[in-house]
Amino acid sequence: SKDLKTKVLDRLKNPPANTGLSPEAQQQALNHWQKVQKVMDDFATGNSDPFTTMKKLQQLTGSTSISESAGSVQKLLNKLGGVTN
């Protein structure tokens, strides 16, 4: 949740000029990842149980695991010109 908020959402709000994302695609990605961040934040703060969290993440991302979701985030960061470890 924290990494999504500080690394992905911030980068989507202010992407480098050469990302190749249209403003529409940028806004769609921002909306999508804000929803994912909210689900993860709810889990981190105890407002959602693990089963519900995984079900919501799967609905949002199509991922069947946190690792798969993290891989999607990594691909997005690469596209936005930033790589995190």
Side-chain angles (χ1 to χ4, degrees), residues 34-78:
Q34 284 174 327
K35 290 176 188 174
V36 172
Q37 190 272 329
K38 168 92 171 78
V39 169
M40 295 181 85
D41 192 48
D42 284 347
F43 176 69
T45 58
N47 293 324
S48 181
D49 63 86
F51 177 76
T52 301
T53 299
M54 287 308 302
K55 185 175 178 181
K56 287 180 179 180
L57 284 176
Q58 187 173 19
Q59 289 171 340
L60 285 168
T61 67
S63 300
T64 57
S65 70
I66 295 291
S67 297
E68 196 174 338
S69 293
S72 297
V73 171
Q74 185 67 44
K75 287 178 187 175
L76 176 62
L77 282 173
N78 287 340

Side-chain angles (χ1 to χ4, degrees), residues 12 22-35:
L12 281 169
S22 70
E24 295 81 17
Q26 177 186 335
Q27 187 61 50
Q28 287 177 350
L30 179 61
N31 292 342
H32 171 77
W33 290 106
Q34 284 174 327
K35 290 176 188 174

